[in-house]
Amino acid sequence: GNDVMERFDRKQRLAEERARGILQFNHKPMQGLKYLETCGHFEHTPRDVAKFLHQYCSPGELDKTVIGDFLGKEKEYKEGFCLKVLHEYIDMMDFE
């Protein structure tokens, strides 16, 4: 019984953190990513961030315009982090 409640609480906490992180991302992308990384949702790697962007870019979640602005940052921004994320993001796309 207690195990089920703990799993439910954890699942609910993760969903709330994710919702808060997505909201933050839509206003300030780096801030939202940092929040989600701090909560342990993913590592600060281009691959993990790209996977997150793919997973949550459906309507009502991540704002596609904000994702586009984030991926389109100049290569000098954050030592080229966004550009690396862009390459990973494109690699994950299915063009079939």
Side-chain angles (χ1 to χ4, degrees), residues 53-64:
L53 296 179
H54 265 291
Q55 201 172 351
Y56 295 102
C57 80
S58 52
E61 296 191 294
L62 293 173
D63 184 321
K64 287 187 170 141

Side-chain angles (χ1 to χ4, degrees), residues 74-92:
E74 56 279 356
K75 65 180 188 290
E76 294 77 23
Y77 182 77
K78 301 283 181 193
E79 291 90 46
F81 185 75
C82 297
L83 189 62
K84 291 174 191 157
V85 173
L86 174 63
H87 289 296
E88 290 288 350
Y89 189 85
I90 291 169
D91 285 348
M92 290 174 186

Side-chain angles (χ1 to χ4, degrees), residues 10-88:
R10 178 170 155 45
K11 201 171 180 178
Q12 194 170 16
R13 190 190 78 240
L14 290 175
E16 286 168 5
E17 288 171 357
R18 192 169 42 249
R20 186 177 297 133
I22 285 170
L23 198 64
Q24 283 184 15
F25 179 90
N26 288 336
H27 294 283
K28 291 187 174 172
M30 288 308 277
Q31 189 179 319
L33 293 176
K34 185 140 190 65
Y35 170 78
L36 289 163
E37 289 161 17
T38 304
C39 292
H41 287 262
F42 50 79
E43 300 287 315
H44 184 74
T45 65
R47 185 159 189 76
D48 273 9
V49 172
K51 212 155 90 178
F52 170 76
L53 296 179
H54 265 291
Q55 201 172 351
Y56 295 102
C57 80
S58 52
E61 296 191 294
L62 293 173
D63 184 321
K64 287 187 170 141
T65 305
V66 177
I67 291 175
D69 290 346
F70 175 77
L71 293 175
K73 292 275 186 210
E74 56 279 356
K75 65 180 188 290
E76 294 77 23
Y77 182 77
K78 301 283 181 193
E79 291 90 46
F81 185 75
C82 297
L83 189 62
K84 291 174 191 157
V85 173
L86 174 63
H87 289 296
E88 290 288 350

